[in-house]
């Protein structure tokens, strides 16, 4: 009987304990569910050999590959082929800027929704979705090559004889107009890639931050962002080499052009085609990661809060903000009312405006300023970006991690590097070149100031086919016809033109001749630009990692993914979207010779004023870097650490950074 009573009491106590477990605080139960950890694998297939990758290093490695592919295709590769697709599809810099911005339009629209919904979701699966969309968008961008027909560069146009009865080919005019419509296909492809890229720098970075201790967070974040630079550089280098391949590969034997010829169009589409399998191969490993990496719960429990003291953390904990979409307005309101977060966001936005704009058109700047081919310009850009930005990203995270900086000290580091990078905005002007001598544009052609002159008046030269030649007087002409040439001969894909009435040969007055292609530039300032841009890249990228780290630390933990989403929404809406459009439009204003072959459109710029071009880049960069520096200073003075964690008494960096 006693045994029965004891058993009954035991059962009652057990039921009471179970009842208490059911009444456990929802926050505690949510915590247990939220940090559910598991093995690496797919469904029930979890081989032991894969578990060595089931950690932060393994995730960062696969994440880094995705970041490399995304930046190689979207940023580096597209920057490389801008001048090529402008030439191929009769676009101007303003339109190129719109294509570049379309990626950020999609990301901006989704930057609030995806991070909020994915904050408590399976973040590695979101990375798999990103890889799928990046591959799809990349493939769509390659489609114009297959449907636009063979590239025609005016090879049949006879530029060396008078043509008094030339008439415009209406069929050709219609074809040129149709080419410009592929502008919308590029926009669609970049929009789809933008959908895929939204979660990478929000959910992906937040997943890394929560999986590692606070003192290592900045280092891992810096490595992740270093991969973005490697991706851009890879896009520059690979894209540049692909431009040495003729756009219609099977027609190369019938083409009398070389990559040095201004009419040459390289294989711009090949890089996009490579992007499809490169992105989709990453879907499988991302689907193999568990929702949380082993040890995440323990790491989370040991972290010390550095949230800006404005009461938002208490509200988030009390109301468990973020468990449903109904919390979206409150979560957004809390972030927008956080002055430190907003100042850091506007800092990143202004910095993004300067970086996104200049990086998109950097290869174009080298092409036009120093007379290099698209391939060589891309290689140079990659060689500058790889060491500079990669060192800067890792160095910024390493400094924060090495000195175990708190939030306010991290902001202080960002202030120092931000204003240091501002001084290097003048590098474009310091390394500018004089304009090349172009008959009728930068120098008078005979007695007039335009392409027509008495020496070619009887030729009725056509302006619809740009075929530049360089005279032995080192003056460039729009075409052999505009140089007044009568005879020509082909030598190893290089046309040599003779008896040119507009050329005065100062070396041999008995013969006036010209060679196909642009004149070689005499400017030797490219090494100066490379050195200055290398230093500027290191300092500029040392700013980004501390800013991102400070953002993660100054907001409640449950809002970190959403905070990064809000920040990226601002960066894209006010920075990445308008930057290429504004700078592209400004670049167009520095054009002094337009291709008028497309009716109703300015077409492609054939020649820029080098001083205006360099000034445009420098002023654009300096203006937004100055704004960025102002916001980061304001963030420093507004930040208040949690009670009992006053960082003003922390002397760990008193001998390293300015107060």
């Amino acid at each position: 009987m006693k045994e029965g009573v004891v058993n009954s009491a035991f059962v009652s106590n057990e039921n009471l304990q179970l009842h208490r477990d059911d009444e456990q605080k929802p926050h505690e139960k949510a915590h247990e569910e939220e940090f559910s950890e598991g093995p690496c694998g797919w469904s029930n297939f979890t081989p032991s050999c894969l578990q060595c990758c089931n950690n932060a290093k393994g995730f960062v490695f696969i994440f880094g590959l995705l970041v490399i592919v995304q930046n190689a295709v979207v940023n580096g590769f597209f920057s490389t082929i801008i001048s090529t697709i402008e030439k191929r599809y009769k676009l101007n810099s303003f339109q190129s800027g719109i294509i570049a911005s379309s990626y950020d339009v999609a990301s901006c629209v989704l930057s609030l929704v995806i991070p909020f919904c994915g904050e408590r979701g399976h973040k590695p699966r979101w990375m798999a979705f990103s890889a799928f969309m990046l591959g799809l968008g990349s493939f769509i961008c390659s489609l114009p090559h297959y449907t636009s027909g063979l590239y025609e560069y005016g090879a049949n146009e006879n530029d060396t004889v008078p043509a008094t009865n030339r008439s415009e080919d209406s069929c050709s005019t219609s074809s040129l107009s149709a080419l410009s419509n592929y502008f919308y296909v590029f926009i669609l492809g970049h929009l789809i890639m933008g959908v895929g890229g939204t979660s990478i720098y929000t959910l992906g970075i937040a997943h890394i931050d929560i999986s590692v201790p606070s003192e290592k967070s900045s280092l891992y974040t810096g490595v992740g962002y270093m991969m973005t630079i490697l991706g851009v550089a890879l896009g520059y280098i690979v894209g540049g080499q692909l431009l040495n391949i003729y756009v219609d590969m099977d027609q190369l034997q019938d083409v009398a052009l070389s990559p040095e010829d201004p009419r040459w169009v390289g294989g711009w589409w090949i890089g996009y085609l490579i992007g499809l399998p490169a992105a989709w191969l990453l879907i499988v490993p991302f689907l193999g990661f568990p929702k949380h990496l082993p040890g995440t719960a323990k790491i989370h429990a040991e972290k010390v809060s550095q949230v800006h003291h404005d009461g938002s953390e208490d509200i988030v904990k009390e109301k468990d903000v973020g468990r449903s979409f109904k919390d979206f307005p409150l979560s957004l309101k809390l972030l927008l009312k956080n002055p430190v977060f907003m100042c850091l966001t506007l800092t990143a936005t202004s910095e993004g405006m300067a970086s996104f704009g200049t990086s998109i058109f950097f290869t174009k700047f080298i092409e036009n300023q120093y007379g290099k081919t698209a391939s060589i310009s891309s290689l140079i850009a990659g060689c500058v970006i790889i060491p500079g930005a990669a060192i800067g990203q890792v160095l910024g995270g390493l400094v924060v991690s090495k000195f175990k900086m708190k939030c306010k000290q991290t902001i202080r580091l960002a202030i120092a590097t931000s204003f240091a990078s501002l001084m290097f905005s003048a590098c474009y002007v310091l390394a500018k070149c004089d304009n090349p001598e172009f008959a009728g544009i930068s120098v008078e052609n005979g007695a007039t100031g335009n392409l027509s002159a008495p020496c070619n008046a009887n030729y009725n030269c056509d302006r619809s086919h740009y075929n530049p030649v360089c005279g032995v007087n080192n003056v460039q002409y729009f075409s052999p016809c505009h140089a007044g040439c009568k005879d020509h001969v082909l030598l190893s894909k290089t046309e040599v033109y003779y008896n040119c009435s507009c050329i005065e040969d100062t070396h041999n007055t008995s013969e006036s001749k010209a060679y196909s292609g642009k004149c070689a530039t005499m400017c030797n300032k490219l090494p100066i630009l490379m050195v200055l841009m290398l230093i500027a890249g290191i300092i500029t990228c040392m700013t980004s990692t501390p800013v991102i780290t400070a953002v993660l630390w100054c907001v409640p933990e449950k809002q970190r993914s959403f905070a990064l989403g809000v920040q990226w929404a601002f960066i894209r809406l006010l920075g990445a979207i308008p930057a290429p459009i504004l700078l592209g439009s400004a670049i167009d204003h520095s054009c002094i010779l337009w291709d008028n072959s497309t009716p109703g459109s300015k077409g492609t710029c054939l020649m820029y004023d080098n001083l205006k071009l360099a000034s445009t880049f420098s002023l654009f960069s300096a203006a937004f870097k100055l704004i960025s520096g102002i916001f980061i200073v304001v963030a420093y003075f507004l930040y208040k650490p949690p009670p009992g964690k006053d960082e003003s008494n922390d002397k760990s960096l008193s001998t390293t950074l300015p107060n």
Side-chain angles (χ1 to χ4, degrees), residues 193-264:
M193 287 191 286
V195 173
T198 303
S199 59
I200 295 178
Y201 301 103
T202 53
L203 299 176
I205 293 297
H207 190 64
I208 293 173
D209 177 74
I210 202 173
S211 303
V212 298
S214 296
E215 63 271 14
K216 293 183 179 180
S217 175
S218 59
L219 180 59
Y220 277 83
T221 302
V223 170
Y225 274 93
M226 181 192 71
M227 297 301 179
T228 67
I229 307 305
L230 293 179
V232 174
L234 183 65
Y236 277 138
I237 295 173
V238 174
Q241 295 306 306
L242 293 176
L243 291 181
N244 284 324
I245 303 173
Y246 188 65
V247 61
D248 301 310
M249 294 185 292
D250 57 336
Q251 302 294 318
L252 181 59
Q253 64 274 12
D254 301 324
V255 176
L257 293 179
S258 65
E260 289 73 26
D261 194 301
R263 296 170 295 170
W264 173 274

Side-chain angles (χ1 to χ4, degrees), residues 67-80 225-241 359 362-363 375 377-390:
V67 169
I68 287 175
V69 172
Q70 182 260 333
N71 279 275
V73 175
V74 176
N75 297 318
F77 183 66
F78 180 72
S79 299
T80 298
Y225 274 93
M226 181 192 71
M227 297 301 179
T228 67
I229 307 305
L230 293 179
V232 174
L234 183 65
Y236 277 138
I237 295 173
V238 174
Q241 295 306 306
S359 63
F362 185 52
T363 55
S375 175
S377 299
S378 302
L379 182 62
I380 292 171
C383 290
V384 171
I385 288 175
I386 287 177

